[in-house]
Every structure is written in C-alpha cells, then in structure tokens.
Amino acid sequence: MAETKTTVTAASAKANSSHQPKKSNNTFAMLAVPVCIVIGVLFYMFVLGNPNNFQGGVINANSHPVEEGMGKWFGTVYMGGIIVPILISVLLICITFVIERFLYISRAKGKFSGAELVRKVQYHLANKNVDAALAECDKQKGSVGNVLKAGLKKYKEMITNTELDTDQKISAIKQEIEETTSLELPMMEKNLVFLSTIASVATLLGLFGTVLGMIKSFSAMSASGAPDSGKLAGGISEALINTALGISTSAVAIIMYNYFTTNIDSITYAIDESGFTLTQSFAANHK
C-alpha cells in the first residue's frame, strides 16, 4: 500500500511539472497573437500612415510618398493597402515566436552539448561512480541532463534493489527514461506550429494582396479613354509591396522552423544515446 501511494505521488508530481509549463506557454500564445495584431495595426495607421511620410502631408488615392528618408519607405509600404497591416501582424507574430523558441531551445541544449554529457556519464559509470554522473547532469542543465538525471536516479535505485532480476531492472530504467523524455520533447516542439503555419499563410496573404493590387491596375487600364497612369502605377506598387512582405515573412518562418527542428533532432538523438548508455552500462556492470 505504501509503495502504491509513493508511485501515485511521483506520478502526480510529474503530471504537475508537465502541466505547469504547458499552461504558461498556452497563456503566452494566447496573449502574444492579439498583442502582435494590435501593434501591427497601430504601426500601419500611425507610423506608416503618418502624414509626414507623404508629399503635402495629405493621404488619399493620389498621394505620393516623400522623395527621401525613412518617410519614403514608410509611405511606400503604407500604399500597399489593407493587407499590409495583416502581413505586418503576421511578421510580428513570427518574430515573437522565433524569439520565444530560441530562448527555450537554447536552455534545453544546456550549458554544454548532450553528446559531451553522455561521454562524461559513460566515463563515470565505467568507474561505478553514479553520484559523479548525477553531478554532471546538474552542471549541464538541459533536456538531456534532465532525462539522464532521472534515469541515473532509477539506475542508482536499481543497484540496491534485490526484488527484481536484471532484465526487470533494465526495463524499469528504460521506462523512467521514456517517461521523462515524453515530458521534455513536447515542450521543445511547442509553438513551432505557429511558424509552420505562418510559412504557408504569409505567402497566401501576400498573393491575395497582389491580386487586389492587380485588380486595381486592370481597372485603371479598362477605364474609358486614356488609362489613369497614377492608379495603374498605384495598383502595381500595391501588388509588389504585398508580394515582398508575404515572401519575406514566409522565408523567415521557414528558415527558423528548419533551424529549430534541426536542433530538436540533435537533442533527441542525444537523449536516445543517453538511454542506450544507461541500459548498456547497467547490463555490463550488474549481470
């Protein structure tokens, strides 16, 4: 009965430790998205749409950006139309989650590489010094260190266990590693869905803005009499601005998504290697 109670308590502690960061990250996502949208719209209205960015300080269909300085670029982007604030918001969301994932995965990688930690643990286990191996995990302070530490604690517990045979002990160590890994990996992959979605959506939004701009251009060309050159140029400019914003946002999302997944794969490989190291060491030293 006491053993069952201890198991339940341990499981509850693990559940609490896993649910808490998830709740925190969900809260972050729920706040970050609307805040980025508000900032994007305000930036479009009051920074890009500042009258000082346009000749004569007047903003209308025939307005032209000033000819020099940042106002020229701000005014030009503002003329991209209604899709521009949406694309700016998407870009801000992308940058926000890039920074958030970069900070989290940097912590998950630890003070030094997982491969180096595995080598150090192998050395200490070969010398049957489990406490020194645990100390190395504390120094690493990453996901590999967390998984190895949990495995090593079970490893140390199994050394003194007289009720189970060797195969059962190895199975217990494997199970502990798998449970800890199942808590670590989802947290590294969390919020990457925003980047993968933005990689596709940003391009589509840019294309939508491009289509709207081209519609304006063809409308100017089909007008009775001579085409309105100003409206024609404005429509083409709007199309190109949206294309540029959509492609650049998508490029950032794709590059950073691939960067993060590569790092996660590297950490995952080190975790798998650490599990193999523990089980093989136990099998070799406690036949």
Side-chain angles (χ1 to χ4, degrees):
M1 185 70 178
E3 184 179 353
T4 303
K5 185 176 180 181
T6 303
T7 303
V8 172
T9 303
S12 300
K14 285 184 179 181
N16 290 335
S17 65
S18 63
H19 289 163
Q20 186 61 37
K22 288 183 180 180
K23 181 178 179 182
S24 175
N25 272 1
N26 286 336
T27 302
F28 173 82
M30 291 173 63
L31 291 175
V33 172
V35 167
C36 288
I37 292 173
V38 170
I39 292 174
V41 172
L42 292 177
F43 183 81
Y44 176 78
M45 293 173 59
F46 298 106
V47 178
L48 300 181
N50 190 322
N52 294 329
N53 298 331
F54 298 89
Q55 296 178 11
V58 178
I59 303 176
N60 54 44
N62 298 319
S63 297
H64 296 283
V66 295
E67 297 181 354
E68 58 183 17
M70 289 299 296
K72 175 182 178 181
W73 300 105
F74 285 166
T76 300
V77 174
Y78 180 84
M79 298 304 291
I82 193 172
I83 303 300
V84 169
I86 300 175
L87 285 168
I88 292 174
S89 299
V90 172
L91 177 60
L92 289 174
I93 293 171
C94 178
I95 293 172
T96 299
F97 283 105
V98 163
I99 294 172
E100 186 268 340
R101 284 293 87 190
F102 181 82
L103 293 175
Y104 187 90
I105 292 177
S106 294
R107 291 196 301 269
K109 291 168 71 174
K111 300 293 182 181
F112 50 88
S113 72
E116 183 179 349
L117 174 62
V118 171
R119 287 194 298 270
K120 290 181 178 181
V121 169
Q122 283 177 329
Y123 172 79
H124 291 304
L125 291 181
N127 293 316
K128 299 184 179 180
N129 191 344
V130 181
D131 290 331
L134 283 167
E136 293 293 346
C137 295
D138 289 332
K139 292 177 184 178
Q140 204 263 348
K141 296 182 179 179
S143 291
V144 180
N146 292 339
V147 173
L148 259 176
K149 185 175 181 180
L152 284 168
K153 286 182 178 179
K154 181 62 69 172
Y155 184 107
K156 190 174 182 180
E157 179 185 331
M158 290 298 104
I159 291 176
T160 57
N161 189 300
T162 57
E163 298 177 358
L164 303 176
D165 59 33
T166 301
D167 289 339
Q168 290 175 320
K169 291 178 181 180
I170 291 175
S171 179
I173 295 172
K174 285 182 179 179
Q175 183 177 357
E176 184 68 22
I177 292 171
E178 288 172 359
E179 288 177 357
T180 310
T181 301
S182 69
L183 300 179
E184 290 288 337
L185 291 184
M187 295 309 300
M188 287 189 286
E189 296 172 350
K190 195 170 183 66
N191 291 335
L192 287 183
V193 65
F194 285 94
L195 296 184
S196 62
T197 302
I198 288 172
S200 300
V201 171
T203 304
L204 294 176
L205 285 172
L207 180 60
F208 181 62
T210 301
V211 171
L212 293 180
M214 296 309 295
I215 289 173
K216 289 185 179 180
S217 298
F218 284 109
S219 295
M221 291 177 65
S222 64
S224 57
D228 188 327
S229 60
K231 290 184 178 180
L232 179 63
I236 295 174
S237 176
E238 179 178 335
L240 295 177
I241 289 166
N242 283 284
T243 300
L245 283 174
I247 291 175
S248 59
T249 301
S250 180
V252 172
I254 291 171
I255 291 170
M256 297 312 300
Y257 179 84
N258 290 335
Y259 171 79
F260 292 138
T261 53
T262 300
N263 278 273
I264 291 172
D265 288 343
S266 176
I267 294 172
T268 303
Y269 176 79
I271 288 175
D272 291 340
E273 187 181 3
S274 69
F276 179 78
T277 296
L278 286 185
T279 55
Q280 291 299 306
S281 173
F282 192 91
N285 296 330
H286 304 87
K287 294 181 180 179

